[in-house]
Amino acid sequence: MEIAGKARKKNGTREGQFRHALDMCAKTGDLAGALALYESAAAENHRLSAYHFNSLLHIISTSIETLDEPSKKSSIDTSFAIFDRMAANGATPTEATITSMARIAAQRPDDGADLAFDLVKTMGERYGASPKLRTYSPALFAFCRRLEADKAYAVEYHMVSMGVVPEEPEIAALLEVSAKVGREEKVYGYLHKLRGSVGCVAGPTAEILEGWFRSERAMEVGRSNWDAGRVKDAILMNGGGWHGLGWLGEGGWDICHVTVSSEGDCSGCGQRLACVDIDRMETEKFAVSVASLALGRESKSNFRNFQEWLEKHSEYEAIIDGANVGLYQQNFADGGFSLSQLDAVVQELFERSQGRWPLIILHNKRALALMENPSNRQILEKWRAEGALYTTPTGSNDDWYWLYAAVKLKCLLVTNDEMRDHIFELLGRSIFPKWKERHQVRYTFNKGHLMLMMPPPYSSVIQESDTGSWHVPLDEKCDNEKLRNWLCITRPASLESSNGVCLAGRSTQTSMEPRQMTSPAENANDKAVCITGKRKDRS
């Protein structure tokens, strides 16, 4: 009762009534009501707070695009008067304030985009506020609509310099303005930025891409002769799925909507798509990042010993998170560590890789406990003799060991651990998910029968082949990847000259390509199944 009384008392004040009325305008999108409140407060010389100013500007910014031209001009003028009064009252604008003002300023017909960009560029120096992606978007989209491509590029440059990463709508707008002004090198660059930042593209983005590839300018770009070996090497260096060496081929483009088979074969052109990995530079940075985090949390001497050991034992195709496999589904009364489950995974990988042992990472304390059982001891001693077991020292976290080994050796990692702990979050959200998709092998035991769920044979991301063709997955609610629609964008002449072979997706064994593993049954029938494994790049 006391709290309710205080609330009534507060709302009964002039301040409370004004705020309540303004909040209702914001809730209902009542621009006219909000402006009437402001005019009344200004006439009565009522002192407004930063909250009031920000609410007023937010209401205007969310309504202004729907107004007719005279009302829009009046609202813009009123907004700048509110902004000036805010400064005069000593209320410091925040990022939200500048975002609202940028949205409003961008609606001015002549210099609005420039004004919006100036507000963003100076907000740090003037107000100590840091821009967000939403702060840049009004100026960027306005420049793109006006086909002022160079100014749009300047916004992106400033954005990136401030650590703000453009997302699909911003990249698509930059790609579209580049296409409309005939800047094919920029179109190519933004197509690759799109590839690196999203998986499947939204419908509006797909329409922009189709518009570009159907344009006369798109028919004119590219070259008929290129170094096929250099292109192939670039694809392998990049982790598969793209080369980044510019437009290939010549002539018109064929664009069709297709599906992709479970093996990764395009139903339109027949090319096989790649399972895209992180590139060599990203892999090295990722390994250094994992090691740095591990050394900061583990005994430095213990982890460095492991690093040195791994340098001398680097031929593994797969790493096994021993604890994760051994403790799988053991949360019952008589449950414990199941060495038989771990051994089943080891034997399956051994057979699939044609006699190559995986590396099992197991905590030393766990291994010592298992050794007390004679039958367990026999299995563990066999693994040690084959160099298939590394026991992490007392006091260590074995997670760092199996993760570092899998990253450093560029091989498969068998674990059901989703690696969502806050420590794994430190590894970053750009590289880590892509790496997991390419390298993590999940498993299950159904009535004691092991099933390994290998990484997908292809990635649902934009892909560029060595023939110059493109495949673009569309963002649809699709539980079955075989039903997903793709854009297949090809140059018929280029495909004919290369006999339709897409080296980005074929599993040819080269120094950078993944090895293949096959099950014994598949070997007997000479049917190789590509289950992505290790990329070799040692000298």
Side-chain angles (χ1 to χ4, degrees), residues 319 321 361 398-406 413 417 419 424:
I319 309 297
D321 176 2
I361 302 293
D398 53 357
D399 289 5
W400 292 115
Y401 289 76
W402 49 253
L403 179 60
Y404 177 77
L413 171 61
D417 191 329
M419 294 171 269
F424 292 117

Side-chain angles (χ1 to χ4, degrees), residues 343-358 450 452 516-523 531:
D343 190 42
V345 173
V346 171
Q347 294 303 320
E348 178 69 13
L349 291 174
F350 179 79
E351 292 172 357
R352 283 176 178 255
S353 61
Q354 303 175 5
R356 291 180 178 272
W357 288 94
L450 169 66
L452 293 181
Q516 292 184 1
M517 292 183 180
T518 56
S519 68
E522 288 161 346
N523 262 344
I531 44 179

Side-chain angles (χ1 to χ4, degrees), residues 226 248-250 254 266 268-271 465-471 488-502:
W226 63 86
L248 301 183
E250 56 184 2
D254 281 352
C266 172
C269 66
Q271 294 183 353
S465 81
D466 65 340
T467 64
S469 63
W470 294 82
H471 288 84
C488 171
I489 306 166
T490 60
R491 279 181 147 155
S494 297
L495 281 177
E496 290 169 8
S497 65
S498 64
N499 297 318
V501 177
C502 174

Side-chain angles (χ1 to χ4, degrees), residues 65 101-118 134-153 155 159 169-170 173-174 176-177 180:
E65 288 188 19
M101 285 303 301
R103 289 170 179 165
I104 295 165
Q107 295 299 314
R108 281 173 59 157
D110 297 323
D111 62 344
D114 295 287
L115 185 54
F117 190 26
D118 286 338
R134 66 179 187 174
T135 323
Y136 284 102
S137 296
L140 179 66
F141 291 136
F143 284 135
C144 289
R145 286 194 301 270
R146 294 169 60 86
L147 300 185
E148 295 184 278
D150 288 330
K151 290 183 178 181
Y153 303 150
V155 175
M159 181 190 305
E170 290 74 26
L174 287 161
E176 183 176 31
V177 71
K180 287 180 176 179

